[in-house]
């Protein structure tokens, strides 16, 4: 037989209100029971104490033989007083008790001369707080009875009814207050939800309302707007990227198609070889663009696993691989001199293939635009590995120093002779730097161009041990 779960409210407002009802009911019940027990206990003690004082006074008068008839009214409003002999006859009584039968049939024994009790008359009337005092220990000793009516609020269930009403009122007030407060608190959440429901991918410029203050709802709204800002920038960047990629891919594809059509139309022509070579160049460029796009898509993902690397050795290896060849007889450009100064033993954590591509792109960019010299320097600064790659070629205007890191960026300067590249080299370099918690910027120099890469270093192995072994 399956277990049936009780239905629960679907909204936070309903759940919080239900929890408040349960807690308030439990607390009110405990308080009501405690108040009932306390009030009845205190009133009982007061009533018996006052009745006992009056009764003991009459008992002392009986022992001294100084009783009066009628008996005077006792203190604290004790008006029912009787002296009953051994034959159960009322010998003395107060005015209010005169003519009445004995207040109680209880006769205290000699070893317990005082007894307290409640008595409710058989003929009706209010119940009484009764104290019976045996005057002496002798067998025929008279008994003095004193009584006072129990307060009306304690004589029946009136106290419990009043406390129950108070508990219900408390629960109702707590429920209403919680419903109102939670509803007012969650009202901005409803506005945020409604605004988010209206935002679509075609219009990401809208934002959710931000309530004043620093509470969780305000922080939620601000976080939602920050997320929308990032989403809008990302979508715009992707749209621009898709447009640029389509434009850049169209050129080599068109050239490749024309060359292939020329080969197909003139299979025996002597110029077919030249068209085939042009087609191969277009295919190579197309392949390079696609490879760079795939690399950009993989940067920052879990596709590559980082490792501890000797960054100094990595830069040195890329320098050896990228050394420019000597100019040929038809090359009008002078030989490019590469000056390198690398600090050894710089270790960091990263993806080797991506960092190799980053350094290779920086070196390739410097060699491509250098007039005569490329300067490479690797050093340590403030816990970072700092790699600077400069050249004495045409500089980049300050207004364009961020634009060159955009994908497929082209400048209207002498740097536009970047004919064979994909236009993604510096964009890939910066993406890799950011994915490794680093930065890549263009420095402000008097002439030429200098790029500075900063990447966080690992603590060198043995550095702590060497520090501990050093004399103090």
């Amino acid at each position: 037989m399956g277990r049936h779960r009780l239905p629960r409210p679907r909204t936070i407002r309903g759940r919080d209100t239900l929890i408040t009802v349960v807690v308030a009911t439990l607390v009110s019940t405990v308080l009501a029971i405690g108040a009932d027990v306390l009030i009845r206990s205190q009133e009982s003690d007061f009533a018996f104490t006052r009745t006992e004082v009056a009764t003991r006074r009459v008992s002392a008068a009986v022992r001294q033989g100084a009783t009066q008839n009628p008996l005077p009214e006792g203190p604290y409003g004790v008006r029912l007083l009787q002296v009953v002999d051994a034959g159960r006859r009322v010998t003395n009584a107060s005015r209010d008790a005169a003519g009445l039968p004995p207040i109680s049939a209880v006769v205290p024994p000699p070893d317990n001369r005082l007894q307290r009790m409640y008595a409710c008359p058989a003929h009706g009337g209010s119940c009484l707080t009764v104290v019976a005092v045996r005057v002496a220990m002798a067998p025929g000793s008279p008994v003095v009875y004193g009584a006072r009516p129990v307060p009306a609020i304690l004589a029946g269930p009136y106290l419990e009814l009043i406390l129950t009403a108070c508990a219900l009122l408390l629960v109702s007030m707590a429920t209403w207050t919680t419903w109102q407060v939670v509803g007012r608190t969650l009202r901005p959440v409803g506005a945020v939800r409604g605004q988010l429901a209206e935002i679509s991918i075609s219009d990401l410029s809208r934002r959710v309302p931000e309530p004043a203050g620093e509470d969780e709802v305000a922080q939620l709204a601000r976080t939602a707007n920050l997320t929308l800002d990032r989403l809008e920038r990302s979508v715009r960047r992707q749209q621009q990227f898709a447009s640029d990629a389509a434009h850049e891919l169209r050129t080599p594809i068109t050239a490749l198609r024309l060359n292939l059509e020329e080969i197909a139309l003139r299979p025996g022509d002597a110029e077919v070889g030249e068209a085939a070579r042009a087609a191969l160049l277009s295919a190579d460029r197309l392949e390079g663009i696609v490879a760079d796009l795939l690399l950009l898509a993989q940067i920052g993902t879990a596709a590559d696993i980082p490792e501890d690397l000797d960054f100094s050795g990595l830069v040195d290896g890329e320098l050896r691989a990228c050394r420019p060849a000597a100019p040929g007889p038809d090359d009008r450009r002078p030989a490019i001199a590469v000056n390198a100064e690398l600090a050894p033993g710089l270790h960091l954590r990263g993806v080797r293939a991506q960092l190799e591509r980053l350094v290779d792109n920086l070196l390739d960019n410097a060699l491509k635009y250098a007039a005569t010299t490329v300067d490479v320097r690797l050093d340590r600064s403030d816990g970072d590995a700092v790699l600077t790659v400069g050249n004495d070629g045409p500089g980049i205007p300050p207004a364009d120093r961020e634009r060159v890191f955009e994908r497929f960026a082209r400048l209207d300067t002498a740097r536009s002779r970047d004919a064979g590249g994909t236009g993604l080299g510096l964009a890939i370099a910066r993406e890799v730097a950011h994915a490794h918690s680093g930065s890549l910027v263009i420095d402000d120099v008097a002439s030429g161009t200098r790029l500075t890469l900063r990447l966080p270093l690992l603590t060198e192995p043995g550095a702590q041990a060497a520090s501990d072994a050093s004399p103090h």
Side-chain angles (χ1 to χ4, degrees), residues 1-7:
M1 188 172 179
R3 298 176 60 184
H4 298 282
R5 299 181 61 182
L6 294 176

Side-chain angles (χ1 to χ4, degrees), residues 130-142:
V130 180
V131 175
V133 178
R134 188 183 184 95
V135 177
M137 299 179 64
S141 173

